[in-house]
Amino acid sequence: AQSVSQHNHHVILSEAASLELGCNYSYGGTVNLFWYVQYPGQHLQLLLKYFSGDPLVKGIKGFEAEFIKSKFSFNLRKPSVQWSDTAEYFCAVKENTGKLIFGQGTTLQVKP
Amino acid sequence: ETGVTQSPTHLIKTRGQQVTLRCSSQSGHNTVSWYQQALGQGPQFIFQYYREEENGRGNFPPRFSGLQFPNYSSELNVNALELDDSALYLCASSLDAGWETQYFGPGTRLLVL
């Protein structure tokens, strides 16, 4: 069965620190890749997505992610985090059936 | 805001009861997907409806069923509730089945006692 693995379950950073959240998936076929963010008390929001083309994709709020097909990875990065980035981050993989498979999530806590 | 709404926001039921959760998709979105998010976990795919027909199902028993209506609303029904059904239930709408991006509603938090 296809699966998505997020390596970091809980990350604590100080403001201005750099962020990298790991995501690996197991599906070998064509996939679309997503990062969703869930701020405290809010619904899941799309942060960025990769469908095809340039493997380095830029999203909202200064986030970016790199798709490395050979490593089945889609890691999320941000050069300098802010307190407002405190949230839960989910990596997800979508097959052509439309089924979204989510990772377990990473809780990011940014200390002011 | 994604334009996807869900009701109710919170619900408390007892074991064995039945529950209906509702979702209103973005206008023009032909596909709705439902997910269960247990505490501390990522959302798990329950099923997807495309143009009022079930279009894929995850590892959930038949007591989880759904309906999609022509007016972009949909329902998730759960019969014979179990304690483990306590979770946040999310619906997500998309323009079409397949590759399109899914936009999530705020969810309904269900507590089964």
Side-chain angles (χ1 to χ4, degrees), chain A residues 57-68:
Chain A
V57 291
K58 296 191 184 298
I60 60 172
K61 304 186 180 184
F63 286 91
E64 64 178 31
E66 185 176 12
F67 169 53
I68 303 180

Side-chain angles (χ1 to χ4, degrees), chain B residues 2 4 8 15 18 21 25-26 28 34 45 51 63 70 80 85 90-91 94 102-103 108-109:
Chain B
T2 62
V4 181
R15 196 170 45 183
Q18 178 266 343
L21 309 181
S25 301
Q26 282 192 31
W34 286 90
F45 176 75
R51 294 182 186 266
R63 60 189 185 85
D85 295 333
L90 300 167
C91 76
S94 54
Q102 296 182 7
Y103 297 92
T108 294
R109 188 161 297 282

Side-chain angles (χ1 to χ4, degrees), chain B residues 39-111:
Chain B
L39 207 58
Q41 302 293 321
Q44 298 289 314
F45 176 75
I46 302 175
F47 45 56
Q48 182 183 81
Y49 277 77
Y50 172 67
R51 294 182 186 266
E52 302 161 48
E53 299 280 337
E54 188 176 292
N55 184 46
R57 191 178 185 91
N59 294 327
F60 282 81
R63 60 189 185 85
F64 285 78
S65 63
L67 287 170
Q68 185 186 23
F69 304 101
N71 64 350
Y72 306 113
S73 67
S74 57
E75 291 179 355
L76 165 65
N77 298 290
V78 188
N79 292 325
L81 283 167
E82 300 177 1
L83 298 180
D84 285 349
D85 295 333
S86 295
L88 180 68
Y89 288 86
L90 300 167
C91 76
S93 77
S94 54
L95 269 172
D96 218 332
W99 298 115
E100 293 293 332
T101 300
Q102 296 182 7
Y103 297 92
F104 285 81
T108 294
R109 188 161 297 282
L110 172 65
L111 178 61

Side-chain angles (χ1 to χ4, degrees), chain A residues 68-87:
Chain A
I68 303 180
K69 189 174 181 179
S70 60
K71 295 185 178 180
F72 298 90
S73 71
F74 190 56
N75 292 354
L76 180 71
R77 299 194 293 249
K78 186 171 183 177
S80 175
V81 295
Q82 300 172 317
W83 177 79
S84 58
D85 294 325
T86 294

